[in-house]
Amino acid sequence: MPNSEPNTITGTAGYVLHDVPHLSHYIPHLTTYPNPLQGNPSYSVVNQHFVDMDDSVAQQIIVHKNSPRGTHFRRAGPRQKVYFDSEDVHACIVTCGGLCPGVNTVIREIVCGLHHMYGVNEVLGIEGGYSGFYSRNTIPLTPKDVNDIHKRGGTILGTSQGEGGNDTGKIVDSIQDRGINQVYILGGDGTQRGASVIFEEIRRRGLKVSVVGIPESVDNDIPVIDKSLGFDTAVEEAQRAINAAHVEAESTENGIGVVKLMGRFSGFIAMYATLASRDVDCCLIPESPFYLEGPCGLFEFIRKRLTENGHMVIVIAEGAGQELISESLSAMNKQDSAGNKLLQDVGLWLSQKIKDHFAESKKMAITLKYIDPTYMVRAVPSIASDNVYCTLLAQSAVHGAMAGYTGFTVGVVNGRHSYIPFYRINEGEKKVVITDRMWARLLSSTNQPSFLNPKGTQLTKP
C-alpha cells in the first residue's frame, strides 16, 4: 500500500472503515506477545479485557432506517496480542505547538500507563518540541518524575512550532539512533501534520516504530473528534473574564464590557463560554460575519441593548471581524514563523470603534472596559473533566501503540475513543456551523441579531 493512500475497508450496507496503518502492513513476520493486562491485578475485575478486533465507531450516529451505515473508525482499547515485548519498549514523548490545559496530564498518564499497565520502564521526554530530537535534549520520565505534573499548566517538556523549520530526516535519524520504538506526539493541527510526515519517513525506512498523535488545540478546531483536550478548561477559565466584564459593565451607566477570547479561525471557545455564562449580550466569531454601521448593525444593537438594560457584554473571538479592520489590508497575507496568518487585535480595534462611534453621535455617553485573557485560558492547569479526558486519551494511545498500530491520532468520536488515520485529522479545520442548532441556541440565549449586511443580504441564519 503506497504511503499516501488511505486504507479504506468496505462492508455490507454501505459500511466504510477508515483504518489506521499497522506495523505488520510493511514489516513481515512480526513476533506477537500475550498482552500483560491479562495478569494485571488492576484489570482482574474487568469481565472483558480486550476490544474485539472488528469493533469500530461510527462517525455519524444519526441515521434513517434505510440509510447506509457510513464511515467508521477503529475502536481504541487493549488488544489480546501486542507487538512489543515490554522490556524492549523505548518510548518517547514530545509536545509541540501552542500550550493547552491538560498536556502535563497526558504526559503523566502515558508514562504511568506504559509502566503500570505494560511494565515499560524506558520513557524519554524530548525537550523543546520537534527540534529536540536532533539537538539531543532528553530527560528520563518515570512515574515518580511525573507524579505531580498534572497540577501545573503548560508542558514540562517545553514546546516549539508544530511544523515548518524542522528536519524530518534528522528527527527520524535520532529516533533510529536512540533505539526509540514508540513515539507519542502531542500537539495541534500543525503538529499532527508533522507527525504524519515523520510516520511516512519511518515507514519508508521500514522501522518498527509506532507513531501516535494526541490532538491538543485549545480552539477545538481539530476535525472528526468530538473535542480537543483542554477545551473544557479554557471555557471554564473564560468565564472569569466574562464575569469581570459583566461586573464592570453593570456597575456604571451604559457600561460595556468587551472580552476577547482565543479562536483564530474557529469560534468554539467564544460560543461555549457565551452559552455557559448567560451574561453575554453579543458573541462575535470568525464564522459569522458582522458589520458595524447602519440598520441591524452592531452599533445599533449596542444602543438598543443599553437602552433596554443599561449595560452589556460583548465576547469576540480573536479571528472575528478581520476583514473589517482597514489597517490589516496590508497584513492580511503576512505569516508568522509557524506559517499562521498574522491577525490584527480585533478586541482593541472594536473597543476603539465603539468609543469613537458613541463619542461622535453625542446621544449616549458610554463607559467601556476591555478585557483580554487570550493566553490566560490556555496556561492554567486542567479542570477535573479534562483530567479524566486526558487520562483516557493517554491510555488509549498506549494501548494502540502496544497493539502495533501506527500513523494515527487518538480521539473521541461520538463519545467513543477511536484510532483515526492522520490524513483525516489533517484534512482541514473544524469550524462552528452557523446554520446549525448550536449557533441558533446561542442567538436565542443572547437575543442578538443574525447580522445583515448594509444591502440587506442575510449573512447568517439562526
Side-chain angles (χ1 to χ4, degrees), residues 318 320-330 332 343-347 349-350 353:
E318 60 183 325
Q322 291 294 315
E323 70 281 357
L324 299 178
I325 308 177
S326 58
E327 292 81 5
S328 70
L329 293 178
S330 61
M332 287 298 287
L343 302 181
Q344 300 295 305
D345 192 329
V346 70
W349 174 83
L350 180 63
K353 281 290 185 181

Side-chain angles (χ1 to χ4, degrees), residues 43 57 79 81 83 117 119 125 167-168 170 196 241 259 277 427:
Y43 277 74
V57 177
R79 267 54 179 181
K81 295 291 185 182
Y83 282 74
M117 292 190 297
D167 190 320
T168 302
K170 284 186 178 180
S196 179
V259 180
S277 169
E427 63 189 5

Side-chain angles (χ1 to χ4, degrees), residues 89-106:
V89 173
H90 297 274
C92 75
I93 305 170
V94 64
T95 56
C96 303
L99 298 182
C100 189
V103 172
N104 280 334
T105 304
V106 175

Side-chain angles (χ1 to χ4, degrees), residues 116-130:
H116 296 310
M117 292 190 297
Y118 288 98
V120 173
N121 296 313
E122 296 290 334
V123 185
L124 285 178
I126 307 297
E127 293 188 304
Y130 280 141

Side-chain angles (χ1 to χ4, degrees), residues 102-168:
V103 172
N104 280 334
T105 304
V106 175
I107 295 171
R108 181 189 191 278
E109 297 309 320
I110 290 174
V111 174
C112 292
L114 283 167
H115 181 83
H116 296 310
M117 292 190 297
Y118 288 98
V120 173
N121 296 313
E122 296 290 334
V123 185
L124 285 178
I126 307 297
E127 293 188 304
Y130 280 141
S131 62
F133 276 105
Y134 48 82
S135 59
R136 318 300 288 187
N137 297 326
T138 65
I139 57 173
L141 298 175
T142 68
K144 184 177 180 180
D145 296 324
V146 300
N147 185 51
D148 293 325
I149 65 172
H150 62 290
K151 300 175 183 177
R152 309 181 213 167
T155 164
I156 64 164
L157 299 178
T159 185
S160 64
Q161 62 194 45
E163 63 173 342
N166 296 305
D167 190 320
T168 302

Side-chain angles (χ1 to χ4, degrees), residues 35-335:
N35 194 317
L37 287 179
Q38 294 177 88
N40 190 311
S42 298
Y43 277 74
S44 62
V45 297
V46 179
N47 291 327
Q48 184 176 347
H49 285 83
F50 306 114
V51 171
D52 190 284
M53 290 299 293
D54 292 328
D55 281 358
S56 60
V57 177
Q59 183 174 10
Q60 177 60 262
I61 59 172
I62 306 299
V63 296
H64 302 289
K65 69 176 183 179
N66 295 322
S67 62
R69 294 176 64 187
T71 300
H72 292 68
F73 301 102
R74 193 168 288 279
R75 182 185 175 192
R79 267 54 179 181
Q80 191 165 6
K81 295 291 185 182
V82 296
Y83 282 74
F84 293 93
D85 186 326
S86 299
E87 293 183 357
D88 295 332
V89 173
H90 297 274
C92 75
I93 305 170
V94 64
T95 56
C96 303
L99 298 182
C100 189
V103 172
N104 280 334
T105 304
V106 175
I107 295 171
R108 181 189 191 278
E109 297 309 320
I110 290 174
V111 174
C112 292
L114 283 167
H115 181 83
H116 296 310
M117 292 190 297
Y118 288 98
V120 173
N121 296 313
E122 296 290 334
V123 185
L124 285 178
I126 307 297
E127 293 188 304
Y130 280 141
S131 62
F133 276 105
Y134 48 82
S135 59
R136 318 300 288 187
N137 297 326
T138 65
I139 57 173
L141 298 175
T142 68
K144 184 177 180 180
D145 296 324
V146 300
N147 185 51
D148 293 325
I149 65 172
H150 62 290
K151 300 175 183 177
R152 309 181 213 167
T155 164
I156 64 164
L157 299 178
T159 185
S160 64
Q161 62 194 45
E163 63 173 342
N166 296 305
D167 190 320
T168 302
K170 284 186 178 180
I171 291 172
V172 179
D173 286 344
S174 175
I175 291 170
Q176 193 169 2
D177 292 344
R178 296 174 191 272
I180 292 169
N181 50 22
Q182 291 185 10
V183 182
Y184 297 90
I185 301 173
L186 283 73
D189 54 351
T191 301
Q192 300 305 311
R193 285 192 293 271
S196 179
V197 174
I198 291 169
F199 158 69
E200 300 260 350
E201 177 61 18
I202 284 173
R203 179 158 62 173
R204 187 189 69 80
R205 298 188 189 187
L207 304 179
K208 186 188 176 184
V209 178
S210 285
V211 180
V212 183
I214 297 95
E216 52 106 339
S217 171
V218 76
D219 289 345
N220 194 38
D221 58 357
I222 296 177
V224 181
I225 64 175
D226 293 354
K227 66 176 179 179
S228 302
L229 67 92
F231 177 68
D232 284 353
T233 303
V235 172
E236 180 73 22
E237 188 67 17
Q239 301 299 293
R240 301 177 188 272
I242 293 173
N243 183 61
H246 182 250
V247 170
E248 289 282 353
E250 70 174 355
S251 297
T252 60
E253 184 178 2
N254 296 328
I256 301 175
V258 177
V259 180
K260 185 183 78 174
L261 296 175
M262 298 195 77
R264 292 177 59 84
F265 307 109
S266 303
F268 288 102
I269 291 180
M271 179 173 71
Y272 277 82
T274 294
L275 282 167
S277 169
R278 306 295 177 177
D279 287 331
V280 179
D281 298 276
C282 185
C283 177
L284 304 172
I285 61 173
E287 297 89 338
S288 182
F290 66 95
Y291 77 104
L292 301 177
E293 306 278 357
C296 300
L298 181 62
F299 291 153
E300 181 184 275
F301 175 63
I302 292 173
R303 186 183 302 278
K304 178 183 177 183
R305 188 55 56 92
L306 290 177
T307 301
E308 293 172 347
N309 297 341
H311 65 275
M312 75 175 299
V313 174
I314 300 171
V315 167
I316 184 165
E318 60 183 325
Q322 291 294 315
E323 70 281 357
L324 299 178
I325 308 177
S326 58
E327 292 81 5
S328 70
L329 293 178
S330 61
M332 287 298 287
N333 296 319
K334 291 185 178 179
Q335 297 180 334

